[in-house]
Amino acid sequence: MSEIVEVAVVGAGMFGSAAARHLSRSGARVLVIGPAEPEDSASASRHAFGAHFDEARITRRLGWDEVWGTLDSRSQERFREIETASGINFFHECGSLVLMARSIGHRTDGILRQCAAEGIAVERRSEDELCAEFPDLGQLPMVGGVEGLLEREQAGYLNPRRLVRAQLELARRSGAGLLRTAVTSIRKDAAAGLWRLRAEGADGTREIAAERVLIATGAFSNHNGALPGGLQLALRAFTEPNLLFEVAADRLDSLRRLPTVVTVDPEDTGDDNMSLYLLPPIRYPDGRWYMRIGPGMQPIVRELCSVDAMVAWYRDQQITPAQEAFLTTMADLLVPGLKAESVRSAACIIEKTPSKYPYIGHPDEDGTLTVAIGGNGHGARGSDEIGRLAAGEVLGLPWDCPVPQSVFTPLAASHHPQADGSRPDFLKPPFGLC
């Protein structure tokens, strides 16, 4: 006889763990199902990928638009509460600096108006002021020069591994279970009014029955068997190439005083674009301190058009020579004289939706199946609010977010306006894991 749970959360990453915490706090009987992080990338598969398998993601309240700004701010406001309640620290408050091209001053004005309306303290700094305060930071030669938007408080970076651990720990304390295995198929048993999930792992195969299901399986959702009945979402996967620069001991103290940095360059939409993100030195599990740099928009990003290509990209952890050359050049410009002790690649995957916002809702009319998928390169810092909204959808609660629920409506692949494979028009700034 199969087990029966009230809510099965398929996916134990940032969205799934957050939703599990909110669901279990509401009193629902929850089982979270998802494999643990592989011991090495060579063990990667379509079931074992996780965008949170890293040490740092930028977090801030300043958003590029009202949707992400709302998700980010609401999550950020709960991070310290989650740390205190779980006893697991994951948020490092070092500040956030966004370098805006002066040629898009109207956009900068709009961001500042939005921040003022939401009570987010942001300083507008000139290039000279930035050079005086952050002498280790170079300036990219963007057309017209740059200016900075500096958030000093409630901004910096979070450790996504530790955030997920904290969310799962609090869910466990509220009664949630955790099954470290992969769901490989799911079907609706109409006669019993239940969902039947097939889970496969090292301990064998088992069936789990659930009254409701939340699917939060990220970039591989169309390929790992977690969506039922041939359902495919309008979701495309792209490479996220990064370089990690090992910082020498004599530069560590000064570079650790830097905020996280994001640059916004509107002048070129191809590989010459200088939009990127940079994190100050962070200690990784190997005991070394690395600065991480990655693309912030379209440069050097490539689409992954098959599940085999997705698995290989994540498994090999090796970016292309062109990607490495671009990121090395950008690092030299932004942190002059870094002289890294070593440099290594880091490869992740970003799933993009046509709307550039996550899917939160029911992909069919049944109402007992919910998805929370589509981080679009921003999901870490908005993950707690995304999980909370998804939990509310699972439980049938009234929508209580100022952003209309329709913004997050899941879109089936068959309804995707670019299902013919043409280049998507939703590759717009900012792109990466910033």
Side-chain angles (χ1 to χ4, degrees):
M1 180 176 293
S2 62
E3 308 165 49
I4 300 178
V5 298
E6 184 177 356
V7 181
V9 177
V10 182
M14 287 179 283
F15 292 179
S17 63
R21 179 174 76 89
H22 289 284
L23 284 164
S24 58
R25 287 180 65 188
S26 73
R29 291 178 290 106
V30 178
L31 177 64
V32 185
I33 312 170
E37 181 175 355
E39 293 185 3
D40 56 68
S41 60
S43 304
S45 74
R46 69 187 67 189
H47 300 291
F49 165 81
H52 67 284
F53 297 163
D54 188 49
E55 295 299 299
R57 293 287 184 267
I58 292 175
T59 185
R60 61 176 184 266
R61 294 188 296 160
L62 179 156
W64 307 111
D65 59 28
E66 292 184 5
V67 175
W68 280 112
T70 297
L71 297 175
D72 297 347
S73 293
R74 288 185 161 205
S75 295
Q76 182 72 59
E77 290 165 1
R78 293 192 286 266
F79 282 161
R80 291 301 189 199
E81 173 192 337
I82 295 169
E83 284 186 319
T84 300
S86 66
I88 299 172
N89 295 326
F90 56 82
F91 173 44
H92 182 78
E93 191 173 16
C94 64
S96 168
L97 175 63
V98 179
L99 297 176
M100 304 286 294
R102 291 187 61 84
S103 60
I104 52 171
H106 64 285
R107 185 178 174 191
T108 304
D109 292 340
I111 291 174
L112 286 169
R113 285 194 298 270
Q114 181 180 325
C115 289
E118 297 176 2
I120 301 172
V122 179
E123 302 172 17
R124 191 172 195 167
R125 309 300 298 274
S126 70
E127 197 164 351
D128 289 343
E129 290 172 327
L130 293 172
C131 289
E133 183 168 359
F134 305 113
D136 290 298
L137 193 63
Q139 299 293 338
L140 298 182
M142 291 190 285
V143 175
V146 301
E147 58 184 334
L149 296 180
L150 180 61
E151 271 183 276
R152 296 187 186 274
E153 299 179 350
Q154 295 190 52
Y157 62 86
L158 57 84
N159 183 314
R161 284 188 175 109
R162 294 180 64 84
L163 170 58
V164 169
R165 278 180 51 200
Q167 298 279 34
L168 291 175
E169 171 61 19
L170 293 178
R172 182 193 64 79
R173 292 182 194 176
S174 295
L178 175 61
L179 180 60
R180 285 302 193 183
T181 188
V183 171
T184 57
S185 69
I186 177 173
R187 63 181 177 85
K188 186 63 181 287
D189 182 346
L194 296 170
W195 290 97
R196 304 285 184 183
L197 289 72
R198 179 184 176 87
E200 299 181 17
D203 296 331
T205 302
R206 61 199 295 182
E207 182 180 272
I208 299 157
E211 297 172 10
R212 305 171 200 173
V213 175
L214 170 63
I215 299 173
T217 46
F220 282 82
S221 295
N222 283 337
H223 308 285
N224 58 15
L227 293 172
L231 174 65
Q232 295 275 282
L233 296 174
L235 197 68
R236 299 171 80 164
F238 296 84
T239 61
E240 175 62 24
N242 280 216
L243 284 180
L244 298 177
F245 293 84
E246 183 185 355
V247 177
D250 61 347
R251 296 293 307 277
L252 186 58
D253 287 344
S254 62
L255 292 176
R256 287 190 68 193
R257 290 193 286 269
L258 288 176
T260 61
V261 179
V262 174
T263 68
V264 182
D265 176 16
E267 293 299 326
D268 188 283
T269 58
D271 284 355
D272 291 330
N273 184 275
M274 288 184 286
S275 294
L276 55 89
Y277 59 88
L278 179 79
L279 288 111
I282 295 164
R283 190 171 187 175
Y284 272 67
D286 64 3
R288 300 178 182 183
W289 293 82
Y290 296 95
M291 297 190 78
R292 185 183 188 110
I293 189 169
M297 195 171 86
Q298 291 174 231
I300 64 174
V301 168
R302 299 293 177 263
E303 184 167 8
L304 295 164
C305 297
S306 72
V307 65
D308 289 341
M310 293 168 68
V311 172
W313 171 257
Y314 181 67
R315 179 195 62 221
D316 296 343
Q317 289 294 296
Q318 184 60 56
I319 69 177
T320 69
Q323 292 168 339
E324 183 174 357
F326 172 85
L327 293 175
T328 299
T329 298
M330 293 299 102
D332 288 342
L333 289 170
L334 203 51
V335 191
L338 177 58
K339 296 180 180 178
E341 296 281 279
S342 67
V343 183
R344 65 181 177 89
S345 297
C348 195
I349 296 174
I350 289 178
E351 72 271 23
K352 298 285 286 185
T353 63
S355 67
K356 298 180 289 184
Y357 303 128
Y359 292 144
I360 308 172
H362 310 296
D364 57 20
E365 297 179 357
D366 180 85
T368 60
L369 179 73
T370 308
V371 299
I373 294 170
N376 289 274
H378 309 271
R381 64 178 173 267
S383 59
D384 191 66
E385 180 65 4
I386 293 169
R388 189 189 72 85
L389 293 173
E393 288 293 279
V394 170
L395 299 174
L397 301 177
W399 186 261
D400 65 344
C401 178
V403 180
Q405 197 281 329
S406 59
V407 170
F408 307 109
T409 299
L411 184 64
S414 60
H415 298 146
H416 186 189
Q418 289 172 309
D420 61 355
S422 61
R423 185 169 177 82
D425 61 5
F426 52 89
L427 285 178
K428 303 295 183 181
F431 186 91
L433 289 165
C434 58

